[in-house]
Amino acid sequence: MLTSKGRSIYFALLLIALGVRLCAAVVVDRHIKSEGRQFLIEGDANGYWELGRKIANGEEYSIYTPPRRVLRTPGYPLLLAVSMKIFGENIFAASLVMATIGAGCCWLTAILARRLTDDVTALLALLIVAVSPIQIGSNIQILSETWFSFWLLLCLIAMTGLLKPRSSSTGVGRGFLTGLLTGLTTLVRPGWILWPWFGSCVVCAFGTQAFRQRLLISLLIFAGCFLALTPWAWRNHNVTGHWIFTSLWSGPSLYDGLHPDATGASDMTFVDKEDVFSTMSEFDANAHYKQRAFQFAISNPLRTAELALIKAGRYLSPTLNAAGFSGGASALFCLGWYVLFWGFVVLGAYSMRKEPGILFLLAAPFLQFLLVHMAFVGSIRYRLPVEFPLSIIAAKGLVVLQRRIQRRSENKDECIG
């Protein structure tokens, strides 16, 4: 349990996390208004906002002409629709909602850390994510990353009960709950659909239950995920004639990363140039682009491998990838931050080598999205959500460093004495 002083620090850090994000939202709002724009980073934000507006107004959930009805999963547009219902179509109000959720992610990080490690590590993890300049800037954007981070952390918190179950029934119940949360998280970011496989690996390899029960829990993770996604898949079957559990944007997204002119960065201009969606159904257009991506990969294995490394480099980049943010003082600042962050992650991972289950649970989301974005396109933006659990490993590294410094200081005092 946290001491009285520890609780004071805990709540102070949460207030700092919220305060700096609210201030950042104000600064960014003034900047984009002075530039005559709606969003700091245009593109996906515009699409999310339009879909949120349609949900709020009770209109058909679609975008573009001809309409694409399964372009995006509804998890994030639903959040924007709630904001619009409460505050109207006010982008600044929505950014304040995102700032609050970003602070909530910091809170969930501390909860996850306390369940897996100790109070000191939890406070340091909270400190890291509270003041992370990249997270602060990302958390206020009208993009799905922050909302996805929130649900990702809920999934991991549910899984802590699978590594340290209080009873056999608790483990089974937590397995199904993890599956439900996995499905809901997938509705925010479709790439999370792979988590049942990673989660099952965690349970089967590191769970303390009997092996037969671990298999049952793994099946319940898949079952819960399937159940949570079924209403969305049913809706998609009604509008397309096909059972789609995620979206019909995976084909163009995959082709974005695997085609003759691919660079590892996203450039979806080919969708408008080729205008495939006007000649095919949304389902067929998605399959068309997916097939072309596979054909390119099979015909160009060396280039595909080269692109995978380039995308991995963009995903692992210590500086921002987005145009207008990738150079200058901001790049140097990011570089300094991530040199420290990754240094502590490595140190923390080494110190946790005797706790492989906890270490793998915290690192698995990072590894999952590394693999996903080596196939699609790479960007530091896709890494930001998984930095919340990684910050717990970094906090562990900071604890190790602090203890080493303390021991050296004590040894020095003994020598002097």
Side-chain angles (χ1 to χ4, degrees):
M1 294 291 291
L2 283 170
T3 64
S4 177
K5 181 180 179 181
R7 284 194 294 270
S8 298
I9 295 173
Y10 181 82
F11 288 116
L13 288 174
L14 285 177
L15 287 175
I16 290 171
L18 177 60
V20 294
R21 283 160 174 78
L22 293 176
C23 290
V26 173
V27 171
V28 170
D29 180 67
R30 291 179 178 177
H31 172 72
I32 60 176
K33 284 181 178 177
S34 68
E35 295 285 324
R37 292 184 292 166
Q38 276 190 304
F39 306 101
L40 184 64
I41 301 176
E42 304 281 354
D44 288 348
N46 302 75
Y48 282 127
W49 189 257
E50 178 63 16
L51 288 171
R53 187 190 65 79
K54 290 200 170 186
I55 294 174
N57 294 333
E59 300 175 19
E60 180 188 59
Y61 186 77
S62 65
I63 194 170
Y64 300 121
T65 304
R68 301 178 203 170
R69 299 180 175 88
V70 198
L71 175 68
R72 299 284 190 190
T73 48
Y76 185 55
L78 276 169
L79 175 67
L80 294 178
V82 171
S83 175
M84 292 178 191
K85 282 290 188 180
I86 298 172
F87 305 109
E89 295 183 20
N90 187 318
I91 295 174
F92 176 60
S95 69
L96 295 180
V97 170
M98 297 307 301
T100 305
I101 293 171
C105 291
C106 299
W107 170 60
L108 291 179
T109 300
I111 292 176
L112 178 62
R114 288 189 69 190
R115 293 197 177 189
L116 293 175
T117 57
D118 54 73
D119 290 340
V120 173
T121 303
L123 286 174
L124 289 173
L126 176 56
L127 172 64
I128 291 170
V129 294
V131 302
S132 168
I134 315 301
Q135 292 292 355
I136 292 169
S138 172
N139 289 165
I140 61 174
Q141 303 302 315
I142 307 300
L143 295 170
S144 64
E145 276 72 25
T146 301
W147 191 224
F148 170 64
S149 301
F150 189 89
W151 286 92
L152 181 155
L153 289 164
L154 288 177
C155 284
L156 297 186
I157 289 170
M159 287 205 68
T160 60
L162 301 179
L163 293 180
K164 300 178 179 179
R166 296 179 181 177
S167 66
S168 59
S169 60
T170 300
V172 171
R174 282 297 182 101
F176 189 67
L177 174 62
T178 298
L180 289 174
L181 289 171
T182 299
L184 294 174
T185 308
T186 301
L187 291 176
V188 180
R189 178 63 64 80
W192 193 243
I193 192 68
L194 297 177
W195 183 248
W197 297 98
F198 281 81
S200 296
C201 287
V202 172
V203 172
C204 289
F206 306 110
T208 58
Q209 307 89 342
F211 184 70
R212 184 176 297 178
Q213 189 176 15
R214 279 180 272 165
L215 288 179
L216 174 60
I217 291 170
S218 297
L219 289 175
L220 287 172
I221 292 175
F222 280 94
C225 181
F226 176 82
L227 181 63
L229 291 173
T230 296
W232 170 244
W234 178 271
R235 174 264 182 191
N236 295 338
H237 180 267
N238 289 338
V239 299
T240 69
H242 302 275
W243 289 93
I244 311 298
F245 284 83
T246 53
S247 73
L248 289 176
W249 194 237
S250 58
S253 295
L254 186 61
Y255 185 73
D256 189 22
L258 292 170
H259 70 275
D261 298 320
T263 64
S266 181
D267 181 6
M268 303 294 289
T269 54
F270 65 86
V271 174
D272 293 329
K273 290 179 180 178
E274 297 180 357
D275 203 20
V276 169
F277 283 88
S278 66
T279 60
M280 298 182 184
S281 69
E282 191 176 3
F283 180 86
D284 290 337
N286 183 68
H288 168 79
Y289 278 117
K290 193 172 293 186
Q291 182 182 21
R292 287 172 63 180
F294 286 142
Q295 287 176 342
F296 173 83
I298 293 170
S299 302
N300 303 273
L302 292 180
R303 178 56 179 165
T304 298
E306 181 184 12
L307 282 170
L309 293 176
I310 292 172
K311 295 168 196 172
R314 290 178 58 82
Y315 177 82
L316 297 169
S317 173
T319 59
L320 298 174
N321 310 121
F325 301 91
S326 57
S330 62
L332 289 175
F333 188 74
C334 288
L335 180 62
W337 172 265
Y338 279 116
V339 166
L340 291 173
F341 180 80
W342 288 111
F344 287 130
V345 168
V346 171
L347 183 59
Y350 181 75
S351 73
M352 296 173 70
R353 65 191 182 280
K354 294 182 180 179
E355 301 174 295
I358 294 175
L359 180 60
F360 185 74
L361 178 64
L362 295 174
F366 166 79
L367 297 173
Q368 175 181 328
F369 277 92
L370 173 61
L371 294 174
V372 167
H373 291 288
M374 286 176 71
F376 290 82
V377 293
S379 171
I380 187 177
R381 169 186 163 188
Y382 306 126
R383 192 188 74 221
L384 292 179
V386 302
E387 286 185 10
F388 284 100
L390 284 180
S391 69
I392 299 172
I393 304 176
K396 200 71 173 178
L398 190 54
V399 169
V400 170
L401 181 63
Q402 181 184 21
R403 288 173 180 171
R404 287 182 181 178
I405 293 173
Q406 186 177 358
R407 281 198 300 267
R408 288 181 181 179
S409 177
E410 290 173 353
N411 291 337
K412 185 177 180 180
D413 290 341
E414 288 177 3
C415 291
I416 294 173

